[in-house]
Amino acid sequence: MEDTYVTRIGAHKYREIACLVAGTRGSSVLVVATPADSWDRFSTVLQQAVDAYAPE
């Protein structure tokens, strides 16, 4: 799931990818985020990090 949000303090805008990852022994939540104005610069590497995540 992709989402954007603004922080309460400083009104900084972020964009994130968040997902629930189910493994054989449990589940975890993975969240990667960057300032929204940097999304184009970092989205590829953030998506690679999500794709590479492997729960134990």
Side-chain angles (χ1 to χ4, degrees):
M1 175 175 88
E2 288 186 30
D3 193 16
T4 58
Y5 60 91
V6 178
T7 61
R8 286 188 210 185
I9 299 173
H12 302 286
K13 188 173 182 181
Y14 283 86
R15 188 165 173 185
E16 70 177 25
I17 301 171
C19 55
L20 175 63
V21 183
T24 57
R25 293 185 281 170
S27 300
S28 57
V29 175
L30 175 65
V31 178
V32 294
T34 188
D37 61 356
S38 298
W39 184 258
D40 291 339
R41 183 174 174 197
F42 295 109
S43 63
T44 300
V45 72
L46 293 175
Q47 186 62 55
Q48 289 172 346
V50 170
D51 293 342
Y53 182 79
E56 293 188 15

